[in-house]
Amino acid sequence: MNEDLLRSLTPSVLAILVRRGADFAAAEDAVQEALVEAVRVWPADMPRDPKGWLVTVAWRKFVDATRADTARRRREDRFDEEPAPGAAPAVDDTLQLYFLCAHPSLTPSSAVALTLRAVGGLTTRQIARAYLVPEATMAQRISRAKRTVSGVRFDRPGDVSTVLRVLYLVFNEGYSGDVDLAAEAIRLTRRLAAAIDHPEVAGLLALMLLHHARRAARTAPDGSLVPLAEQDRGRWDTASIAEGVGILQAALARDRLGEFQAQAAVAALHADAPTAEETDWVQIVEWYDELVRLTDSPVVRLNRAVAVGEADGPRAGLTALAELDDSLPRHTAVAAYLHERDGDLARAARLYAEAAHKAPDLAERDHLTRRAARLNNRRSR
Amino acid sequence: MAKYLLLKHYRGAPAPANDVPMDQWTPEEISAHMQYMSDFAARLEKTGEFVDGQALAPEGTWVRYDGEGRPPVTDGPFAETKDLIAGWMVIDVDSYERAVELAGELSAAPGAGGKPIHEWLELRPFLAAPPTITE
């Protein structure tokens, strides 16, 4: 598949141009033009060395573009000194690109857009459609981002946690447009894991694989959400689960725990249970305790309250919930669930309806409305 | 072609004929309603009349400028606001009559008991750009 090949070559081609001295913004434009050229030419005339071809064409595009600039002579000199393109080790260059595109000077939305374009090789139009914004808006966002990082030196290693946050954001956006962002995030994280030996990179990759494995079971044919406990576990992707668990175990063995490894451990325990009833909730609570220690995040504490409700009964869950601020997102939905488990159906139905009112997305609103409707109907019969 | 906004209200519109809150429906009735809405949008995409559709959260914030160098003033959300917009659909159609016809169809979405809600929708024409030929 040409498109997959092209997109897998994009970051290393871009990195080679930057290493040769092209500034990042101009290099990125040149690579995009070379990709367009490749889509046109390759089907009829596939080059033997696709990467070398792309480097040559992109460099020519870059030089053509800069010839028109006032800095013409200086850049031509640089071109003349340049060695012929040959096989280049891609891995370290690619890693630098990840760091650049997730640079702390960028806003999260800019970092996401730039990563998808420069590392992922997606077109501006594809990224715009994935995020449901006009193409012109996305083009501006990307070109501003490129200008922001243009002055960043390309030779220092960055902070891997900023890269992981960007990839996590991409994964969590799911799949709304014609680009499957979840699959794209996995692809990019897999490459990052190949380029850098870091337990949290492995942890994030495992987390993504374990969640992605449940994707087919997460929605009913009518598009409504199916909660974890009610999913048809036969529809989970066992190959993806096995891979995720293997990656996670290798990471945990190195004894450098981080939040992504701990989140992946929770996901692995769910994946490991043949039925919802056989879930090892006691161990899940222990992982949430680790997560509270690592992040001290109120959202983690909320999830922990759910797990406590399963491990020690709904009353214990409600006690844990009572310690949390009730303005937290999904607090009301968790309260509704725990009261339902506790047998107080009238209160649960009322809370589900209230939670639906506060829901942050349509699928969740519909889901919570259905829970309320189901309880209201059961009570009236 | 002319663009129209089909505005759906949580409150502010006259009460519909089949006025039962959704959490009192059966889950099957909710599914039927959702299906009707998505089929309607899909059909308008096929006829080339669909532009946009969005749902809004019920609660928002009022914001205004408060002078140079000061942060904006915010107020709300207000529980007792008379009118609340729930969401909208934008259509691009050949005539006012067609817009009314489509709004009528959308208002026929099934609710409790599988019967149409008869919900009031507000139909508002967009103010268009001036035409090139004016005489």
Side-chain angles (χ1 to χ4, degrees):
Chain A
M1 180 74 184
N2 262 348
E3 198 193 322
D4 290 346
L5 173 64
L6 272 176
R7 291 181 42 207
S8 70
L9 295 173
T10 302
S12 52
V13 173
L14 174 54
I16 288 169
L17 261 65
V18 172
R19 192 152 41 79
R20 284 182 176 185
D23 79 88
F24 177 70
E28 214 278 330
D29 286 337
V31 171
Q32 284 284 328
E33 282 184 55
L35 293 178
V36 170
E37 187 87 357
V39 169
R40 196 174 61 78
V41 172
W42 286 11
D45 184 16
M46 187 68 193
R48 240 179 320 176
D49 172 12
K51 184 168 152 186
W53 188 97
L54 278 173
V55 171
T56 306
V57 172
W59 187 254
R60 200 183 300 136
K61 299 273 182 199
F62 165 71
V63 172
D64 286 350
T66 47
R67 270 208 184 105
D69 281 2
T70 48
R72 168 182 171 172
R73 180 165 305 269
R74 189 163 47 83
R75 287 193 167 119
E76 278 181 355
D77 288 345
R78 188 194 291 152
F79 179 47
D80 291 339
E81 290 159 12
E82 210 49 56
V91 173
D92 288 344
D93 289 339
T94 304
L95 189 57
Q96 293 299 335
L97 259 191
Y98 276 93
F99 287 135
L100 189 66
C101 294
H103 196 268
S105 62
L106 296 170
T107 62
S109 60
S110 299
V112 161
L114 193 57
T115 299
L116 287 173
R117 191 163 133 148
V119 190
L122 295 178
T123 63
T124 303
R125 175 191 291 261
Q126 285 174 313
I127 302 167
R129 291 184 62 152
Y131 286 94
L132 306 176
V133 299
E135 190 176 344
T137 303
M138 189 52 80
Q140 278 305 317
R141 192 180 295 174
I142 290 170
S143 72
R144 284 174 64 105
K146 285 198 284 185
R147 279 202 302 276
T148 303
V149 297
S150 264
V152 175
R153 285 179 52 199
F154 205 51
D155 53 357
R156 273 173 309 179
D159 176 2
V160 78
S161 70
T162 62
V163 178
L164 295 181
R165 266 198 296 279
V166 168
L167 296 173
Y168 183 82
L169 279 179
V170 174
F171 184 75
N172 247 357
E173 281 290 336
Y175 23 89
S176 47
D178 61 347
V179 174
D180 183 341
L181 288 179
E184 180 65 8
I186 289 175
R187 190 178 75 86
L188 296 179
T189 308
R190 209 187 273 287
R191 291 190 70 165
L192 181 65
I196 186 171
D197 185 22
H198 192 295
E200 274 294 87
V201 178
L204 180 61
L205 179 58
L207 177 66
M208 289 176 176
L209 288 167
L210 289 163
H211 277 271
H212 204 56
R214 297 187 214 137
R215 173 159 150 178
R218 279 186 66 202
T219 34
D222 67 1
S224 59
L225 284 182
V226 183
L228 186 55
E230 292 163 27
Q231 287 174 14
D232 174 1
R233 294 178 182 226
R235 296 182 67 206
W236 288 359
D237 178 350
T238 47
S240 187
I241 289 172
E243 190 191 356
V245 169
I247 291 169
L248 175 65
Q249 282 171 340
L252 289 174
R254 300 178 52 190
D255 211 19
R256 281 167 58 201
L257 188 62
E259 60 173 305
F260 290 123
Q261 292 170 77
Q263 281 191 55
V266 171
L269 285 167
H270 285 302
D272 202 34
T275 64
E277 292 71 32
E278 291 168 83
T279 308
D280 187 347
W281 286 104
V282 173
Q283 219 186 320
I284 289 177
V285 172
E286 287 169 11
W287 280 111
Y288 276 122
D289 289 337
E290 289 285 358
L291 272 168
V292 168
R293 193 177 55 75
L294 288 165
T295 67
D296 197 30
S297 139
V299 175
V300 167
R301 287 178 194 273
L302 191 66
N303 288 330
R304 184 183 170 278
V306 177
V308 168
E310 301 291 350
D312 303 331
R315 291 287 167 86
L318 285 165
T319 304
L321 188 67
E323 293 164 18
L324 303 175
D325 183 352
D326 62 9
S327 68
L328 268 175
R330 297 197 173 85
H331 186 283
T332 312
V334 170
Y337 176 71
L338 290 170
H339 280 294
E340 180 186 353
R341 292 270 332 257
D342 194 36
D344 190 348
L345 301 191
R347 188 163 180 184
R350 204 167 57 243
L351 286 167
Y352 275 128
E354 189 186 325
H357 185 79
K358 297 180 190 165
D361 63 79
L362 268 180
E364 190 172 327
R365 181 201 282 183
D366 292 348
H367 171 69
L368 293 166
T369 307
R370 278 173 217 270
R371 301 297 284 202
R374 197 171 44 84
L375 293 183
N376 283 329
N377 276 281
R378 192 191 292 172
R379 288 192 308 125
S380 62
R381 260 158 218 165
Chain B
M1 298 294 273
K3 290 195 177 63
Y4 287 88
L5 177 69
L6 273 59
L7 212 49
K8 180 179 152 68
H9 299 255
Y10 286 109
R11 286 203 295 269
N18 187 4
D19 190 15
V20 181
M22 199 181 260
D23 61 70
Q24 309 290 329
W25 303 3
T26 68
E28 295 72 30
E29 287 161 4
I30 296 176
S31 295
H33 178 83
M34 299 303 171
Q35 190 65 48
Y36 185 97
M37 303 298 274
S38 73
D39 288 351
F40 181 80
R43 193 153 46 83
L44 289 196
E45 274 185 34
K46 282 213 183 84
T47 58
E49 294 171 308
F50 180 84
V51 179
D52 182 36
Q54 299 288 339
L56 295 176
E59 283 174 4
T61 307
W62 288 86
V63 185
R64 73 163 172 82
Y65 177 59
D66 197 40
E68 192 65 41
R70 300 158 68 108
V73 175
T74 62
D75 207 352
F78 301 108
E80 295 309 314
T81 313
K82 269 172 70 184
D83 186 12
L84 277 177
I85 296 163
W88 67 77
M89 188 176 282
V90 177
I91 55 174
D92 194 8
V93 292
D94 282 315
S95 65
Y96 171 74
E97 288 70 25
R98 175 63 176 158
V100 169
E101 182 188 352
L102 289 174
E105 282 182 36
L106 191 57
S107 164
K115 298 193 186 69
I117 305 176
H118 296 272
E119 179 174 40
W120 287 94
L121 297 171
E122 191 179 1
L123 184 64
R124 300 270 294 266
F126 277 48
L127 295 178
T132 312
I133 300 166
T134 53
E135 60 204 38

